Amino acid sequence: MSTLRAQQFSSADIEVIASLSISRLSALPPDPSNRVADDPAAADLGRSLFNDVRLSSRGDISCSSCHQETLGFDDHALPGKGVGSTTRRTMPLVGAAYSPWLFWDGRADSLWAQALGPLEADGEHAISRVAVAHLVDRFYRADYVRLFGPLPPLASLPAGAGPFGTPVEITAWQALDAKTKAEINQVFANVGKALAAFERTLVPSRSRFDDFADALVAGTASTSLSPLEQRGLALFVGKGQCTQCHSGPLFTDHFFHNTGVPEAEGLPLDLGRMPAVATVQNSPFNCLGPYSDARPTDCAELRFIADNDSLLRAFKTPSLRNIGQRAPYMHAGQFADLDSVVEHYNDAPWAKIGVSELHRPGMTTEEKDALLAFLGSL
Amino acid sequence: MFLRNAVMFATTLLLSAAPVASMAQEWTVDADGQIYRLHIAGAEPVINKIDTWTLTLTDPAGSPVEKAVITVDGGMPAHGHGLPTKPAVTEDLGEGRYRLEGVKFNMDGRWVVKFEIDASNGTEEIQVALDL
């Protein structure tokens, strides 16, 4: 390969590059739906709960089973595996607190509501909300009471009961009166709020790209990126059109797009955001629900949720930070490596379901190599 | 139907500016249809911030148009996707003024916001193009 000359960036390029630097990351947005969101004691309780394998039907799965801290809160599994199997990739947690919508399809509108989903999902923790309340009572009572007040009476309740789960658990849940259900839901929501307080402490760290971007803005020379990586950066903000969705310091617009990614083999049909809109609107754990600490005026994202046709098979734009360590890629791990991802975006195939937003950037082999090199710097 | 676009050009500086209070300066757009004139006032759009706009609707002579039903749609035509929210008029403020809540744009590029206006003078769609 010929030696690359120093990359020149236009002033417009530099503006976009500056907008991607972690130096431009705003303070964590408040979560008015969670009154303990920024309480260190809640984060401590959340960390304990996050790592507690007792919060699963078999006693061997915790949040950290799939969100492994040593692997960047990832498991690299295809798809994620808990008690059973899931249908999508484990999502990154670092920086998740910046997103108004959680999960690949955004079916939760807060970190705490998100945290409740895997607990009851049959392929993940597969534990019922009454069982969670019993565990809190037995192992975390003092910490819980300090943060949230007294637990409701639990002694007469069955070991497990919840609206999802086994037929026995569902039947037991249906037998409970409305007041008891509401009390259990409140405990369950509070567990989510403690987990969310912990997850809010997971914010991204500086990368080589950030050092380069800040030096570029300051007008000083930087060797933080190699000439090839700098060429890739120019493509990222230019011909590659990557920043149309991967924008801002977290390299995401926090929204949902159909990019024509193929179906994952062996997994059920996945329509993405479109069916999730009703799910989050109907969730008792949403921003407007009885377990939220927010005022209705704090819930603009939910009140004005988009539900148009372009959301068919649209999935959330993931952050690209640490993307080099996050194989396999896409919502169901359809692509084993970043080469395949870049190839997909360069090919921009038509979507089999819905309409892909991609336009062919027409990158050469050398350009794709440069873009790949740049992605490794994030 | 005759449509007229009001095109606002915001520079890419918007993308990099920190969301501080000084950004919330008065920002207006005027768009004229054949039977209605629409005036939009609010804070200058910033990516990923949900805003509230005040819409003022008049007839070509400048008289307020009251009791209008205004629905809002839009998106990025070049990308084939809609708005990231579904803005809605939440209050009729009287004298042809309406509060529109839930306005949000989540990426740079050209957005088109369509206002479907239904009032006593008839129905008309007015489109506003915004470059963020």
Side-chain angles (χ1 to χ4, degrees):
Chain A
M1 186 187 288
S2 60
T3 305
L4 283 167
R5 287 182 302 158
Q7 182 65 45
Q8 298 294 314
F9 294 99
S10 69
S11 57
D13 284 346
I14 293 172
E15 281 298 331
V16 178
I17 291 166
S19 75
L20 298 169
S21 168
I22 202 162
S23 302
R24 294 286 177 90
L25 188 64
S26 59
L28 207 55
D31 180 2
S33 73
N34 179 2
R35 66 176 177 79
V36 301
D38 297 306
D39 183 330
D44 285 345
L45 173 59
R47 178 186 279 277
S48 298
L49 292 166
F50 188 87
N51 291 297
D52 192 337
V53 292
R54 292 172 299 206
L55 283 166
S56 65
S57 61
R58 295 187 318 215
D60 61 351
I61 296 288
S62 69
C63 304
S64 60
S65 300
C66 291
H67 300 286
Q68 297 173 34
E69 188 161 1
T70 53
L71 299 177
F73 294 97
D74 195 0
D75 57 356
H76 304 295
L78 171 73
K81 289 199 170 30
V83 167
S85 221
T86 69
T87 58
R88 293 186 184 142
R89 265 292 270 127
T90 301
M91 290 207 79
L93 291 187
V94 175
Y98 283 85
S99 183
W101 304 109
L102 285 301
F103 290 119
W104 281 106
D105 57 11
R107 66 185 182 279
D109 66 346
S110 68
L111 271 183
W112 65 268
Q114 185 283 328
L116 304 179
L119 288 173
E120 290 190 306
D122 60 1
E124 300 183 57
H125 299 242
I127 187 169
S128 72
R129 59 190 70 177
V130 167
V132 169
H134 284 305
L135 284 168
V136 168
D137 184 27
R138 188 167 167 201
F139 299 111
Y140 297 102
R141 170 178 273 275
D143 288 338
Y144 179 95
V145 170
R146 262 196 299 277
L147 283 163
F148 301 111
L151 280 159
L154 300 171
S156 65
L157 297 183
F164 310 106
T166 66
V168 170
E169 288 166 339
I170 294 172
T171 304
W173 178 255
Q174 288 168 342
L176 299 178
D177 61 58
K179 177 170 173 286
T180 304
K181 284 178 181 168
E183 288 170 347
I184 293 297
N185 284 347
Q186 186 64 66
V187 175
F188 194 46
N190 289 342
V191 165
K193 289 175 183 180
L195 285 164
F198 165 61
E199 290 175 355
R200 282 172 67 83
T201 66
L202 308 176
V203 291
S205 47
R206 285 187 77 81
S207 66
R208 287 191 296 116
F209 160 73
D210 299 309
D211 292 339
F212 180 82
D214 290 358
L216 187 66
V217 172
T220 55
S222 171
T223 54
S224 300
L225 297 185
S226 72
L228 184 66
E229 289 168 335
Q230 292 182 36
R231 174 83 186 114
L233 169 58
L235 290 159
F236 189 86
V237 300
K239 185 177 182 179
Q241 306 167 41
C242 309
T243 52
Q244 289 189 350
C245 294
H246 294 288
S247 55
L250 294 175
F251 290 80
T252 172
D253 62 353
H254 303 293
F255 201 58
F256 309 90
H257 302 279
N258 183 331
T259 55
V261 291
E263 285 290 305
E265 268 184 50
L267 291 178
L269 178 67
D270 193 334
L271 299 181
R273 176 60 168 169
M274 187 169 265
V277 171
T279 305
V280 66
Q281 284 176 316
N282 296 327
S283 169
F285 300 113
N286 71 23
C287 186
L288 293 166
Y291 310 103
S292 163
D293 301 315
R295 298 165 301 173
T297 49
D298 296 323
C299 305
E301 291 280 358
L302 184 64
R303 287 169 60 216
F304 303 104
I305 189 170
D307 59 357
N308 54 65
D309 291 347
S310 63
L311 298 174
L312 179 59
R313 209 172 147 70
F315 294 90
K316 193 161 91 168
T317 311
S319 172
L320 296 186
R321 289 202 169 265
N322 297 305
I323 193 66
Q325 290 80 52
R326 292 200 55 81
Y329 299 99
M330 319 316 270
H331 65 270
Q334 290 97 321
F335 296 136
D337 49 44
L338 276 177
D339 299 54
S340 308
V341 176
V342 169
E343 203 62 58
H344 172 80
Y345 282 92
N346 203 39
D347 286 349
W350 284 49
K352 290 199 174 125
I353 302 168
V355 180
S356 171
E357 294 177 30
L358 297 186
H359 297 289
R360 277 184 195 162
M363 287 186 290
T364 65
T365 302
E366 286 74 21
E367 287 172 333
K368 286 186 281 184
D369 287 345
L371 186 58
L372 277 169
F374 166 67
L375 292 172
S377 77
L378 297 174
Chain B
M1 183 184 293
F2 175 74
L3 298 176
R4 186 163 163 194
N5 291 350
V7 181
M8 289 295 298
F9 290 96
T11 71
T12 51
L13 285 171
L14 272 179
L15 288 174
S16 55
V20 294
S22 61
M23 286 296 292
Q25 58 202 356
E26 179 75 350
W27 171 89
T28 62
V29 176
D30 288 288
D32 295 351
Q34 266 190 325
I35 48 179
Y36 299 115
R37 293 168 67 183
L38 180 67
H39 175 81
I40 302 168
E44 187 151 10
V46 175
I47 287 178
N48 276 331
K49 177 175 176 290
I50 293 196
D51 278 323
T52 297
W53 288 353
T54 301
L55 310 177
T56 304
L57 195 63
T58 57
D59 65 16
S63 299
V65 175
E66 300 198 2
K67 296 188 169 39
V69 176
I70 305 173
T71 51
V72 177
D73 196 1
M76 296 188 88
H79 295 204
H81 66 71
L83 296 171
T85 54
K86 189 175 176 180
V89 170
T90 54
E91 192 174 354
D92 184 339
L93 302 167
E95 300 176 329
R97 292 160 63 246
Y98 304 86
R99 177 177 290 124
L100 179 72
E101 288 191 77
V103 181
K104 180 179 171 181
F105 305 98
N106 61 331
M107 59 170 75
D108 61 330
R110 170 155 294 198
W111 292 85
V112 173
V113 183
K114 303 172 187 174
F115 297 84
E116 181 80 26
I117 299 161
D118 187 2
S120 54
N121 297 4
T123 301
E124 181 172 41
E125 183 183 276
I126 294 180
Q127 296 193 5
V128 177
L130 302 171
D131 286 333
L132 267 76

